[in-house]
Amino acid sequence: MDTSTSLPPLDDTLLATSRYLETLTVLDDASLRGPSVLPGWSRAHVVAHVSRNADAFTRVLEQASAGLPAAMYPSAAARDADIEETVRRLDPGALVEDAHRSSARFEEAARACTAGPDACFARVDGAADTNPLADLVFRRRAEVEIHHSDLDVGYPPAGWPADFSVTLVGQRQDELSRLPHGCPSLVLSSVDVPGLWKLGVGQGPEVSGAVGDLAWWLVGRGGGRGLTCSAGALPTLERWR
């Protein structure tokens, strides 16, 4: 049972992680070195990123528990270098083992977290923009679910749990609406679960489809496959990392 008093339950994030780790067991060297959905990244890059992301969130949890300013990475350059170094250094078996170990470290740190409910964290050291620590568990789940699909080995967004897709659409609605330069005005409507979301200011076209496909498009994947837009062409949105 999750005993953390400063974080929401871990169950759904751990289930997502279990599905992801199970997928890794069937990837051989050729599969890992093959291309992922992400431009310029092999599947090995995706696996390395998910592992280093687990360590980044572990760093946040440990810093926050110690009462220190918490951040995921020392810098964006350090984050990128760690991913490349992991891909260079580890063979396929070691990449999978690294994925298991980093996931276990994250779970241990989350269960041991003693930070208060007002704790927050930044993406890089010294950044002014912060997120509530309470958001961390879902953010980790998002990293695992989205990048599991980025592997392109039979786990499409249609396979995401509906509650995850709905929450992800709402999160992206908030993130895109808070961009300094704004975002296109549009209405998102789900055809498979109850859901209607407004982006931007004023009237805009309606984009409809299954909630998993909406979420996939909102994070910059799929090119809008499975969606329809009342204006014809889908608008261009800022990509999720």
Side-chain angles (χ1 to χ4, degrees):
M1 179 179 295
D2 191 309
T3 59
S4 172
T5 58
S6 56
L7 298 173
L10 292 169
D11 303 59
D12 291 332
T13 296
L14 297 182
L15 283 172
T17 302
S18 294
R19 289 191 293 269
Y20 164 73
L21 293 174
E22 179 65 24
T23 291
L24 298 189
T25 65
V26 302
L27 297 181
D28 58 16
D29 182 65
S31 297
L32 278 167
R33 304 303 168 183
S36 73
V37 167
L38 298 176
W41 268 18
S42 66
R43 293 190 181 97
H45 282 88
V46 174
V47 174
H49 167 57
V50 175
S51 296
R52 299 291 70 80
N53 172 265
D55 286 341
F57 281 137
T58 298
R59 180 182 193 246
V60 164
L61 291 162
E62 292 174 346
Q63 290 174 330
S65 293
L68 301 171
M72 296 174 65
Y73 305 103
S75 67
R79 175 257 194 195
D80 294 345
D82 282 347
I83 294 169
E84 292 295 340
E85 193 274 337
T86 299
V87 173
R88 180 193 61 78
R89 178 172 53 88
L90 300 183
D91 63 26
L95 268 176
V96 174
E97 180 62 24
D98 181 44
H100 280 269
R101 290 181 180 275
S102 60
S103 297
R105 287 192 294 268
F106 168 77
E107 180 181 354
E108 181 180 2
R111 293 192 183 282
C113 182
T114 58
D118 295 330
C120 59
F121 68 98
R123 184 164 176 80
V124 298
D125 288 344
D129 292 338
T130 60
N131 298 289
L133 192 67
D135 290 352
L136 183 147
V137 171
F138 180 79
R139 288 180 178 274
R140 174 58 184 170
R141 184 184 180 190
E143 293 281 346
V144 173
E145 293 280 28
I146 293 168
H147 291 309
H148 189 174
S149 295
D150 283 333
L151 292 174
D152 196 23
V153 288
Y155 187 66
W160 291 346
D163 74 289
F164 169 74
S165 296
V166 169
T167 303
L168 182 58
V169 170
Q171 183 188 75
R172 288 298 288 155
Q173 175 193 34
D174 180 61
E175 291 172 346
L176 290 166
S177 295
R178 289 188 288 109
L179 290 173
H181 50 274
C183 70
S185 297
L186 65 151
V187 174
L188 308 175
S189 62
S190 170
V191 299
D192 57 340
V193 299
L196 194 67
W197 301 266
K198 177 73 172 68
L199 275 70
V201 177
Q203 298 296 318
E206 180 176 344
V207 176
S208 62
V211 68
D213 291 333
L214 287 169
W216 191 235
W217 175 63
L218 287 173
V219 295
R221 273 76 162 171
R225 186 169 56 250
L227 304 180
T228 60
C229 179
S230 62
L234 288 163
T236 299
L237 302 177
E238 184 167 307
R239 184 183 178 86
W240 182 82
R241 57 197 173 277

